[in-house]
Amino acid sequence: MNHPAISVIMSVKNGADTLEKSIGSIVNQSFTDWEFIICDDGSTDSTFDILNRLAAADNRLRIIRNDTSKGLAFSLNACIKLAKSNILARQDAD
């Protein structure tokens, strides 16, 4: 997948309780030409483990991580820098 039609971006911090459902709402769409870039913003729960497990099952998911919390704007900008499409969609983790 060199240039997907859409790049979906998400920042998440300590979202283990809602993350799988939120990501599933994108993964289960009938439209499939997308990439999903997710930034773990320094989570202290199992968020990063969940993200890695889901990314191992779907190569359209790209995971990045801030060692410490940098905030929503910083994290989304990090996702945007990695986006391969010029069309962005934003998803929340909850």
Side-chain angles (χ1 to χ4, degrees):
M1 176 176 65
N2 291 333
H3 295 285
I6 298 173
S7 294
V8 182
I9 61 172
M10 173 194 286
S11 174
V12 58
K13 181 175 179 186
N14 296 331
D17 292 340
T18 58
L19 194 55
E20 289 190 63
K21 187 172 183 178
S22 178
I23 292 172
S25 72
I26 300 297
V27 170
N28 295 320
Q29 295 289 316
S30 58
F31 182 78
T32 60
D33 188 14
W34 49 262
E35 66 176 343
F36 199 165
I37 306 164
I38 305 166
C39 181
D40 177 356
D41 188 27
S43 295
T44 57
D45 64 0
S46 61
T47 293
F48 192 61
D49 294 331
I50 293 168
L51 290 172
N52 284 323
R53 178 174 47 81
L54 295 173
D58 191 325
N59 66 359
R60 297 173 296 177
L61 276 65
R62 298 171 58 200
I63 311 304
I64 59 176
R65 185 178 198 192
N66 300 331
D67 292 333
T68 60
S69 181
K70 305 285 187 184
L72 180 62
F74 180 95
S75 299
L76 291 175
N77 282 328
C79 293
I80 290 169
K81 287 178 185 176
L82 296 176
K84 294 179 181 175
S85 175
N86 61 354
I87 300 173
L88 299 175
R90 179 154 134 41
Q91 172 76 2
D92 287 321
D94 58 359

